Amino acid sequence: MLRLTDIKLPLDHAEEALAAAIRARLHVGAQAVRSYTVFRRGHDARKRGAIQLIYTLDVDVADEAKLLQRFADDPHVRPTPDTNYRFVRNWKESSRR
């Protein structure tokens, strides 16, 4: 899964504009993008008349390794980091050893 950052769209964009922005950023067709989830959505209100939404997306693509190689120099296309929770070891158990 890829993490795309800094996807900018107008405040009143249509739902399908997000999928189109993903395809445009990655330069792939519709069949290459399997699914996507919004990780974070922020607002850029620095220009009063042109407020934008800025997305961070997790995108499942068909050929992830090829895209990562193609965008190796792009800081806005990276592998999705592992965010799974890991249990902390019990302090009493670790001090007995």
Side-chain angles (χ1 to χ4, degrees), residues 25 27 35-36 60:
R25 170 67 65 91
H27 308 291
S35 65
Y36 66 89
D60 186 19

Side-chain angles (χ1 to χ4, degrees), residues 38-56:
V38 176
F39 179 74
R40 180 176 36 207
R41 182 180 68 189
H43 298 83
D44 182 4
R46 290 179 287 181
K47 296 179 183 175
R48 186 178 207 163
I51 298 174
Q52 292 184 326
L53 292 173
I54 302 175
Y55 288 95
T56 298

Side-chain angles (χ1 to χ4, degrees), residues 4-5 14 18-19 22 24 27 29-30 32 34 37-38 40 45 49 53 77 79 81 83 85 93 95:
L4 300 180
T5 57
L18 196 54
I22 293 169
H27 308 291
R34 294 180 187 146
T37 56
V38 176
R40 180 176 36 207
L53 292 173
V77 179
T83 57
Y85 180 77
E93 289 178 11
S95 65

Side-chain angles (χ1 to χ4, degrees), residues 20-91:
I22 293 169
R23 292 191 304 270
R25 170 67 65 91
L26 295 177
H27 308 291
V28 295
Q31 70 280 1
V33 178
R34 294 180 187 146
S35 65
Y36 66 89
T37 56
V38 176
F39 179 74
R40 180 176 36 207
R41 182 180 68 189
H43 298 83
D44 182 4
R46 290 179 287 181
K47 296 179 183 175
R48 186 178 207 163
I51 298 174
Q52 292 184 326
L53 292 173
I54 302 175
Y55 288 95
T56 298
L57 305 166
D58 292 334
V59 182
D60 186 19
V61 292
D63 196 2
E64 180 180 339
K66 182 179 174 183
L67 286 173
L68 282 173
Q69 186 178 16
R70 187 185 335 162
F71 293 101
D73 296 333
D74 189 349
H76 300 293
V77 179
R78 293 285 170 222
T80 302
D82 182 18
T83 57
N84 291 329
Y85 180 77
R86 305 241 187 320
F87 287 101
V88 179
R89 236 171 127 173
N90 191 347
W91 179 79

